[in-house]
Amino acid sequence: MTLEDIIQETKTFYCLECGKCSSICPICRYDPNYSPRVIVENALLGLESDLFHNGELFSCLTCQACQLKCPSDVNYPIFIQKMRLMASNDGQQGECAHSGALQSLVRLMSNPDITQRRLEWLSNGYRTSEQSDILFFVGCTPYFDPVFEDLGFQVTDVSRGSLKILNYFGIEPMLLPNEKCCGHDMLWMGDVKTFQKLAEQNAAMIKESGAKKIIFSCPECYRTFKEDYPNYAKIDCELQHITEFISGVIEENGIKFKELKKKVTYHDSCRLGRHLGLYEPPRKVLQAIPGIDLIEMKQNREKSLCCGTSAFTNCDLYSKQIRVERLLEAKETDADILVTACPKCQIHFRCAMVNKGEEKGPDIEIPVTDIVNLVANALEGENNE
Amino acid sequence: MNGNGYRKIGVYICHCGMNIASTVDPKKVAEYAMTLDSVAIARHYMFMCSDIGQELIENDIKELGLNRVVVASCSPRMHELTFRKVCERAGLNPYLFEMANIREQCSWVHSDSKLATEKAMALVRAAVRRVFFQEPLEARDTPVNPNALVIGGGIAGMQAALDIANAGYEVVLVERDTSLGGHAMQLSGTFPTLDRADCLISSKVEEVASHPMVKLHTYSEVEEVSGYVGNFTVKIRNKASFVDGQRCTVCMLCSDVCPVSVPSEFELGLAQRKAIYAPHSSAVPARLTVDSQACQHFEGDQCHACQEVCPTQAIDFSQKDTFIEEKVGAIIAAPGYDLLPRERISMYPDDPDIIDGLQFERILSYSGPTLGEIRRPSDGKVPKQIVFIQCVGSCDPEHGVPYCSRVCCMYVAKQALIYRQVVPEGQAYVFYTDIRSDAKGFEEFVQGVMAGGSVLYLRGGVSKVFRDGDKIKVWGVDTLVGQEIEISADLVVLALPMVPRPGTNELVRKLNIMSDKYGFLSEAHIKLRPVESLTAGIYLAGAAQWPRDLPDTIASASATAAKALTLISKGKVVLEATVASVDESYCLGCGRCEEICEFHAPKISKNGLPLPTASINEVLCKGCGACAVSCPTGAITIKHFTREEILAEVEALAGV
Amino acid sequence: MSDFEPKIVAFACNWCAYAAADLAGTSRMSYPPNVELIRVMCSGMVDPIYVLRAFEMGFDGVLIAGCHPGDCHYISGNLKAEERVQALQRLLHTLGLEDGRLRLEWCSTAEGEKFATTVTEFVAKLKELGPSPFRIREEAVA
């Protein structure tokens, strides 16, 4: 694969150099060295040394804000993805956060000969079954728990909340006891070899399970299965985010939720929002809960601001500035709770609020919760946590 | 040194005579080393640490232009410094050097030659890979203020101040009370020679007060301390005394007319003082002080009886507390002790003739409330029967403190001896559990007191003490004869334990040092570093650290002064080279580093970036790596122990 | 496997554990050559990535050796190491790795014998457990 191939595949040659991408890019706003337009120009000029040796390729959040603005429909995120693949063949990778521990974990997980113990978060009271049409894809939450212990929440609560909701609606889904990471981060950082192994293993396990529909609580897993897996492994199932599922049930049957008197604001994650176009289902769900007053942030839906870090890589001062911007926006709505539909967004927002130093910085404290946990608390007749 | 990744590595395998060579094949390891990436030369020799061995390396560096060196031999704890010096002599930065331990951790512990040699090759491979990533480092230094702050003007503080001042360095001495001397000024004769304490101490007080290198602040307190070793900034509060020290002649006319009398702190309640007062007649600085809590003027009474009689108009009720800032290099904390409050030991009732050891010192003292005549507080009569009770509240985990207060056995013996001398017809009894008399001349002194008549030592405890008319009844037991004892005493003296002086807690907080569960100041290491705190640049002296008598206190104060002098005499502090460093562009300002560091090196502050970020104080950093691991983005790295370097070692050891 | 020789990497702190390993050497104690040491200044300097990468690279066991609690040259680095090892144990457990492949030991400067015994026992235990499940596919390594 050459630079020319990438340009052709992603239609980058249509670029008008208008700079609208740079104008909306959140990284460009804070990082004086990064500009999507400059990167595209360098590619079109064939300036490989500039592209591959200054690390800027890995600064992109792949949030797709640029693609929405681009009048020529340049697929910048995929362009970046492929450029990173080229870079990684050359031994490069971005600056992995947490010293690369999460990436190392995924590589270890991709080993086909291991048998994980990844369902220990499943306590009594949650019902799953060995045979069902519906499979719930858990994602990496059991691995996030020990890594993000100091953020004051258990990421597996998202998985538990999702199961509670599914159980409430009479669904006892299958869970893959040896589920592998969807590989989202690997793909976006250019490690296609590992991604392929993960995709193939997941596809094989899903096929063997006989599942007809997969429900996700993580938009990254969902996007990866929907948009990226088809090029690598065959998944013959209907795919749905849990908010789609809940909003579907609301439409069909109408649900009576308990009253929850709270002002909330909702953060559209990049993957659920711009990548998959799902803005309304989470809002339908929130508005169906009596007492919930949903106030929109200034930048919402397609205009939503990314949570600041992608693929646990290149997390830096600029990421923090983006998060501060977003959290200040959330606080401006005067909401009691910031609701997200992506566990990684929640992790990044909570991390931004860690403030143990002498100098405190701007006040960005606001309670954050996943939409499934909010909904789980509003289910009628349930003894809620 | 090439900055573009070009490495020329020299590898040297030592035989160490037969120590390594008998199990590990040095020739084979050297041949293997030549196959490794970027290795320009690989040699093996009998004794790499010998002159010839060292020359080999030095010459190769110079002639072959080596920019990295690996020596595979003994433990780096043995010879890392030796070989680093070789590099330095040859003009190569000493941190571009790595050792592989193929003796203590290979040839000496493994018997299979083949496996040992393979392991040596792996260790060399790891060292070569690691040295590839090492960067040159410079050992830096930072200037040190050539002066010291001494907190506490008692005997410990004064001794330390004198030692430092006599060495030619300026001392800022801050004393909370109105005059110097502390508790030592209250003592009478001191054991074992019975020299008068107030004479001994007065000479020190005079020396300190008149020393050209001592800046004295009495009636002052340390408000705030900031900074770090060599560069402390101290804010001192000079409390208003309402008397102009330059004008006051200590004529005492004011004190004569003052209508307010309160118990004297110096006389421990055995006498009164006025609201305008000097604690005792030889107080230095020579100046009276107005106690604003007692003085009627401050209660809206507008009394100015003292002002009216003062011949020099020295009294000024408008005085306010003032603040001074001093910059110092070292700090010595000597805040002193007090006795355990009587109320803690409830079995001894509150009675004017049941007093503690310090109060009895005032009675014995020629400058005390009874001018050296031994008279009891209630009616001034000369006590003919005195009971001393040792271990009142010490060695007593239930009611008092579990530790031994060390000085009581000796001072009780001394007090009994003085009593015998002054009241030859009197009889003293001493109830004791142990006699601890372990220093120079101590045991002989106590034996002398015991044998000299009119002092009866009774081994046993006391069960009840109560007033009966004009006597104090003491019920106790003599365990050596197995009898219960009742004594009708005129005066009872309790030997209470020393405890840290009130206010020590706040001082500990301000200085950011540690104290133990009793509140005593904690030393860095009880055996090896007994006069330093764990905070660099702050040292400890005197009884604030543990109960101590005068000889111990003076010795400890001089030791502390010596430590402080080693810091401030060099003019600079050499910093660790292998410290943490921050790439601020990766910093989230989360403060995890600041929270985790025991040495207060990382701090989040506004550094001119859009958000607060971390910076490392290299003077305080010890290079332990805790902060680097806590950093979620990898913004912090430890020089010479970077993640890159260690991961390179791991991968090399794995054979990748 | 009777001829399986486990590969162990050990992180030893400069002040205690590394010195203990040296003492085992000067005392001419004997232990199997399966372990290779990396010197760190403090057990609290061991980043979880070192352990994970070691398993990625095919090591069968990882040993972290530091000072006894209360003796750390940097006051509490060893306690931080203990917390991190606990988190790592959870991660490795979830990955399906057998318990016992990651070990944390306290070893003071004077405990040369303890160091030698620890290594010997660790090698024996790993021989029982067999090769690391991550070792078999060595091309899994990035």
Side-chain angles (χ1 to χ4, degrees):
Chain A
M1 183 186 43
T2 63
L3 184 53
E4 193 49 46
D5 292 333
I6 298 177
I7 292 172
Q8 290 296 325
E9 212 183 296
T10 54
K11 307 225 187 312
T12 317
F13 51 77
Y14 277 141
C15 170
L16 298 173
E17 297 178 30
C18 66
K20 284 198 173 154
C21 52
S22 292
S23 74
I24 195 151
C25 172
I27 294 285
C28 185
R29 188 150 65 244
Y30 293 109
D31 182 349
N33 296 324
Y34 183 79
S35 159
R37 173 175 58 165
V38 169
I39 291 189
V40 170
E41 273 180 42
N42 285 342
L44 294 175
L45 292 170
L47 296 174
E48 290 200 20
S49 58
D50 283 337
L51 287 167
F52 290 110
H53 294 290
N54 63 7
E56 290 305 322
L57 271 187
F58 291 90
S59 293
C60 174
L61 297 170
T62 64
C63 72
Q64 223 167 279
C66 51
Q67 200 178 1
L68 263 130
K69 276 275 195 171
C70 178
S72 310
D73 210 21
V74 169
N75 195 338
Y76 187 79
I78 298 295
F79 165 75
I80 286 287
Q81 196 197 93
K82 304 260 180 233
M83 296 288 280
R84 287 174 179 174
L85 172 52
M86 252 185 96
S88 91
N89 287 340
D90 200 26
Q92 277 184 53
Q93 54 180 33
E95 281 300 322
C96 296
H98 300 278
S99 310
L102 290 151
Q103 287 81 357
S104 180
L105 263 173
V106 174
R107 285 192 300 266
L108 285 165
M109 214 194 297
S110 72
N111 187 313
D113 295 313
I114 59 162
T115 309
Q116 298 167 83
R117 302 187 194 103
R118 52 173 300 141
L119 292 179
E120 288 177 4
W121 57 271
L122 201 54
S123 36
N124 285 338
Y126 296 102
R127 300 182 309 276
T128 63
S129 77
E130 302 282 310
Q131 205 51 53
S132 164
D133 279 350
I134 299 186
L135 184 115
F136 176 62
F137 193 83
V138 176
C140 285
T141 60
Y143 290 99
F144 289 160
D145 274 356
V147 177
F148 298 108
E149 226 169 358
D150 80 337
L151 296 183
F153 82 120
Q154 288 193 292
V155 196
T156 45
D157 276 346
V158 175
S159 312
R160 278 187 285 266
S162 307
L163 264 189
K164 190 180 206 186
I165 294 172
L166 292 173
N167 288 167
Y168 183 80
F169 293 116
I171 297 180
E172 292 179 17
M174 286 190 290
L175 262 58
L176 292 175
N178 207 18
E179 186 189 289
K180 298 296 169 105
C181 172
C182 66
H184 170 279
D185 291 355
M186 296 289 113
L187 178 63
W188 286 97
M189 295 321 290
D191 184 358
V192 161
K193 257 199 357 229
T194 307
F195 176 71
Q196 177 133 23
K197 284 164 67 177
L198 295 164
E200 285 168 2
Q201 288 171 56
N202 276 328
M205 287 187 282
I206 288 168
K207 182 159 184 222
E208 210 192 300
S209 73
K212 303 221 170 42
K213 172 155 136 176
I214 309 177
I215 297 186
F216 300 88
S217 58
C218 173
E220 300 202 333
C221 298
Y222 183 15
R223 182 244 140 73
T224 308
F225 269 70
K226 186 148 186 230
E227 304 288 324
D228 305 304
Y229 269 29
N231 296 327
Y232 296 86
K234 203 154 171 356
I235 304 270
D236 251 326
C237 297
E238 190 194 332
L239 307 171
Q240 222 184 25
H241 187 258
I242 189 148
T243 52
E244 283 181 289
F245 167 78
I246 304 171
S247 103
V249 175
I250 292 174
E251 250 181 62
E252 274 178 40
N253 311 341
I255 317 165
K256 248 192 82 201
F257 287 111
K258 287 208 302 244
E259 202 197 20
L260 210 57
K261 250 184 123 55
K262 290 273 181 223
K263 283 201 289 212
V264 309
T265 185
Y266 174 71
H267 168 78
D268 292 280
S269 73
C270 301
R271 270 57 182 156
L272 199 62
R274 281 182 294 268
H275 283 234
L276 294 167
L278 288 168
Y279 305 108
E280 297 317 315
R283 288 173 166 82
K284 275 222 201 59
V285 171
L286 287 171
Q287 280 157 341
I289 303 176
I292 292 278
D293 180 15
L294 173 60
I295 309 162
E296 297 286 357
M297 286 188 267
K298 263 223 274 288
Q299 300 174 89
N300 62 73
R301 296 183 172 79
E302 322 63 58
K303 297 204 184 71
S304 170
L305 178 62
C306 175
C307 70
T309 296
S310 172
F312 289 117
T313 300
N314 277 44
C315 185
D316 55 23
L317 179 60
Y318 310 123
S319 323
K320 181 70 183 269
Q321 285 179 280
I322 293 172
R323 289 198 256 282
V324 167
E325 187 186 322
R326 189 54 165 170
L327 288 168
L328 286 174
E329 225 177 83
K331 283 183 80 81
E332 239 181 81
T333 65
D334 204 33
D336 301 312
I337 304 177
L338 168 61
V339 179
T340 72
C342 172
K344 281 164 101 172
C345 291
Q346 188 178 171
I347 287 170
H348 297 315
F349 284 136
R350 281 177 182 263
C351 179
M353 296 182 220
V354 172
N355 216 351
K356 301 178 175 185
E358 197 177 81
E359 187 70 41
K360 295 293 176 189
D363 177 16
I364 48 175
E365 281 274 340
I366 178 171
V368 189
T369 189
D370 194 286
I371 192 169
V372 305
N373 295 116
L374 196 80
V375 170
N377 271 351
L379 294 174
E380 277 281 9
E382 292 280 318
N383 279 332
N384 296 314
E385 298 109 46
Chain B
M1 220 315 279
N2 294 37
N4 60 359
Y6 176 64
R7 303 285 190 257
K8 243 182 148 179
I9 306 176
V11 181
Y12 302 87
I13 319 293
C14 188
H15 291 229
C16 197
M18 286 311 284
N19 280 307
I20 293 176
S22 59
T23 327
V24 169
D25 183 348
K27 186 156 167 282
K28 214 163 163 208
V29 178
E31 276 166 10
Y32 173 70
M34 277 304 285
T35 67
L36 297 171
D37 195 32
S38 300
V39 171
I41 186 87
R43 297 189 198 280
H44 60 100
Y45 181 67
M46 265 301 144
F47 294 104
M48 285 312 304
C49 56
S50 66
D51 282 346
I52 301 179
Q54 292 186 36
E55 257 171 58
L56 254 180
I57 301 175
E58 218 180 309
N59 291 338
D60 278 350
I61 295 174
K62 292 183 182 149
E63 286 161 25
L64 301 176
L66 298 179
N67 58 22
R68 299 282 189 286
V69 169
V70 169
V71 171
S73 60
C74 51
S75 170
R77 289 170 60 92
M78 190 99 210
H79 275 312
E80 186 170 58
L81 208 53
T82 314
F83 293 116
R84 275 191 179 161
K85 287 205 172 93
V86 172
C87 293
E88 252 179 320
R89 284 200 301 269
L92 182 65
N93 187 290
Y95 289 92
L96 299 175
F97 165 77
E98 189 65 23
M99 276 180 86
N101 185 336
I102 61 172
R103 189 183 72 171
E104 282 88 334
Q105 293 177 9
C106 193
S107 69
W108 274 351
V109 288
H110 306 315
S111 44
D112 183 322
S113 261
K114 176 169 168 290
L115 293 175
T117 306
E118 274 171 19
K119 177 166 166 176
M121 297 197 296
L123 292 171
V124 166
R125 183 173 65 230
V128 166
R129 190 80 65 85
R130 171 121 181 224
V131 88
F132 187 97
F133 288 102
Q134 274 162 2
E135 299 283 19
L137 296 177
E138 297 302 328
R140 294 187 14 228
D141 53 53
T142 191
V144 154
N145 287 321
N147 59 359
L149 167 72
V150 175
I151 305 175
I155 185 62
M158 290 197 296
Q159 181 63 50
L162 283 173
D163 286 338
I164 295 175
N166 285 332
Y169 295 89
E170 190 189 84
V171 176
V172 176
L173 177 55
V174 176
E175 164 54 50
R176 190 165 65 176
D177 272 340
T178 58
S179 59
L180 291 171
H183 282 302
M185 280 301 263
Q186 295 170 307
L187 304 179
S188 60
T190 55
F191 56 81
T193 52
L194 297 188
D195 292 337
R196 281 183 56 177
D198 45 2
C199 290
L200 292 175
I201 308 302
S202 289
S203 62
K204 295 270 181 201
V205 168
E206 287 300 330
E207 231 191 302
V208 168
S210 59
H211 204 294
M213 297 297 281
V214 174
K215 266 162 120 177
L216 185 58
H217 294 272
T218 50
Y219 209 44
S220 301
E221 287 202 54
V222 167
E223 281 285 297
E224 218 178 274
V225 176
S226 61
Y228 50 86
V229 56
N231 295 279
F232 293 106
T233 301
V234 187
K235 191 163 157 207
I236 301 169
R237 173 196 292 265
N238 296 127
K239 296 188 283 199
S241 62
F242 308 104
V243 175
D244 183 343
Q246 310 279 41
R247 293 178 175 213
C248 177
T249 60
V250 200
C251 65
M252 303 299 277
L253 287 172
C254 52
S255 182
D256 287 342
V257 302
C258 176
V260 177
S261 267
V262 290
S264 160
E265 293 87 350
F266 188 79
E267 303 299 356
L268 300 161
L270 296 173
Q272 302 276 79
R273 63 155 172 86
K274 297 300 182 78
I276 183 167
Y277 72 107
H280 55 94
S281 54
S282 45
V284 170
R287 178 206 71 204
L288 274 76
T289 303
V290 174
D291 174 4
S292 56
Q293 309 275 41
C295 173
Q296 277 175 2
H297 177 94
F298 292 97
E299 285 170 36
D301 191 314
Q302 294 300 313
C303 166
H304 41 242
C306 50
Q307 251 181 344
E308 283 163 16
V309 301
C310 177
T312 56
Q313 287 93 55
I315 298 168
D316 175 9
F317 286 115
S318 71
Q319 261 190 22
K320 297 255 179 292
D321 288 356
T322 54
F323 295 92
I324 287 196
E325 210 179 72
E326 293 276 7
K327 292 205 186 307
V328 297
I331 298 180
I332 295 180
Y337 73 93
D338 258 353
L339 292 183
L340 185 76
R342 272 273 296 280
E343 304 74 63
R344 288 275 297 272
I345 315 297
S346 52
M347 76 173 262
Y348 299 99
D350 195 13
D351 187 297
D353 292 329
I354 302 177
I355 59 175
D356 64 47
L358 262 179
Q359 287 173 310
F360 196 50
E361 289 291 326
R362 293 314 299 146
I363 292 177
L364 294 175
S365 170
Y366 291 128
S367 55
T370 58
L371 300 177
E373 285 185 19
I374 303 182
R375 293 179 178 284
R376 65 180 192 172
S378 61
D379 54 11
K381 285 219 187 89
V382 174
K384 297 295 197 289
Q385 308 261 63
I386 280 194
V387 172
F388 294 91
I389 307 178
Q390 293 188 180
C391 290
V392 174
S394 48
C395 300
D396 184 359
E398 263 182 65
H399 308 107
V401 296
Y403 54 85
C404 165
S405 189
R406 299 181 71 216
V407 303
C408 325
C409 290
M410 289 313 298
Y411 80 64
V412 164
K414 169 205 78 176
Q415 290 179 339
L417 178 62
I418 297 178
Y419 171 72
R420 175 167 76 209
Q421 290 173 348
V422 176
V423 186
E425 71 280 21
Q427 176 68 44
Y429 302 90
V430 179
F431 280 95
Y432 73 97
T433 316
D434 279 315
I435 298 294
R436 297 184 176 176
S437 47
D438 54 359
K440 213 172 196 178
F442 282 17
E443 177 63 16
E444 299 93 303
F445 181 85
V446 177
Q447 290 296 338
V449 171
M450 284 180 175
S454 24
V455 179
L456 190 57
Y457 268 73
L458 298 162
R459 192 186 182 285
V462 163
S463 60
K464 198 162 172 171
V465 173
F466 58 95
R467 180 166 281 278
D468 182 27
D470 78 335
K471 294 285 190 190
I472 311 276
K473 283 267 203 287
V474 178
W475 287 359
V477 64
D478 180 347
T479 59
L480 294 179
V481 299
Q483 260 185 8
E484 282 171 13
I485 308 241
E486 181 187 284
I487 302 174
S488 286
D490 296 310
L491 183 65
V492 173
V493 179
L494 306 176
L496 287 159
M498 286 174 157
V499 295
R501 201 133 191 204
T504 304
N505 276 355
E506 283 94 84
L507 185 64
V508 161
R509 246 191 328 103
K510 287 176 189 166
L511 293 176
N512 226 336
I513 56 179
M514 284 171 48
S515 56
D516 66 15
K517 60 182 177 232
Y518 309 114
F520 288 112
L521 305 180
S522 292
E523 59 281 304
H525 190 285
I526 196 159
K527 287 198 173 55
L528 301 176
R529 296 173 67 195
V531 296
E532 301 163 72
S533 73
L534 269 167
T535 304
I538 302 188
Y539 307 94
L540 316 173
Q545 200 181 343
W546 200 248
R548 279 184 156 128
D549 57 23
L550 282 173
D552 271 354
T553 298
I554 293 181
S556 100
S558 289
T560 306
K563 279 288 176 195
L565 282 167
T566 57
L567 171 63
I568 65 181
S569 61
K570 285 199 274 222
K572 59 181 181 164
V573 157
V574 177
L575 310 175
E576 289 265 10
T578 59
V579 291
S581 84
V582 180
D583 179 345
E584 283 161 334
S585 66
Y586 278 92
C587 177
L588 304 177
C590 66
R592 287 175 173 102
C593 53
E594 192 180 310
E595 188 192 50
I596 207 173
C597 180
E598 294 277 9
F599 306 101
H600 313 293
K603 275 251 172 327
I604 305 295
S605 53
K606 293 197 178 63
N607 287 325
L609 289 167
L611 291 172
T613 52
S615 54
I616 308 280
N617 182 334
E618 292 195 5
V619 179
L620 297 177
C621 177
K622 303 265 184 264
C624 73
C627 60
V629 180
S630 78
C631 178
T633 63
I636 302 183
T637 46
I638 308 294
K639 293 185 191 170
H640 206 66
F641 289 92
T642 64
R643 280 176 210 91
E644 207 178 26
E645 286 175 41
I646 301 188
L647 282 173
E649 264 194 273
V650 173
E651 289 168 17
L653 285 176
V656 168
Chain C
M1 286 191 229
S2 54
D3 56 353
F4 159 61
E5 284 300 333
K7 278 191 73 168
I8 303 169
V9 65
F11 297 91
C13 85
N14 179 64
W15 305 96
C16 284
Y18 194 90
D22 280 348
L23 177 61
T26 45
S27 314
R28 310 293 198 280
M29 295 183 193
S30 196
Y31 57 83
N34 307 58
V35 70
E36 282 146 3
L37 262 68
I38 293 181
R39 182 169 74 132
V40 288
M41 291 317 284
C42 179
S43 50
M45 194 183 244
V46 177
D47 192 311
I49 187 64
Y50 305 153
V51 175
L52 293 170
R53 197 85 180 122
F55 283 114
E56 264 194 272
M57 297 283 115
F59 280 101
D60 302 294
V62 176
L63 173 64
I64 300 174
C67 307
H68 287 269
D71 289 348
C72 179
H73 188 84
Y74 306 101
I75 306 171
S76 61
N78 50 2
L79 302 178
K80 290 153 189 151
E82 195 175 34
E83 280 172 29
R84 290 170 192 146
V85 166
Q86 280 169 3
L88 271 167
Q89 298 280 25
R90 285 168 65 185
L91 285 170
L92 296 170
H93 176 86
T94 312
L95 270 174
L97 201 66
E98 304 96 317
D99 290 334
R101 288 196 185 271
L102 170 62
R103 242 176 108 141
L104 177 68
E105 283 294 334
W106 307 132
C107 206
S108 79
T109 327
E111 292 183 291
E113 195 177 336
K114 179 172 182 193
F115 182 82
T117 316
T118 301
V119 171
T120 312
E121 279 172 11
F122 199 17
V123 171
K125 169 87 193 244
L126 288 173
K127 278 193 175 160
E128 266 178 49
L129 286 177
S132 157
F134 300 108
R135 201 211 244 215
I136 298 165
R137 295 293 192 101
E138 248 145 13
E139 64 266 27
V141 159

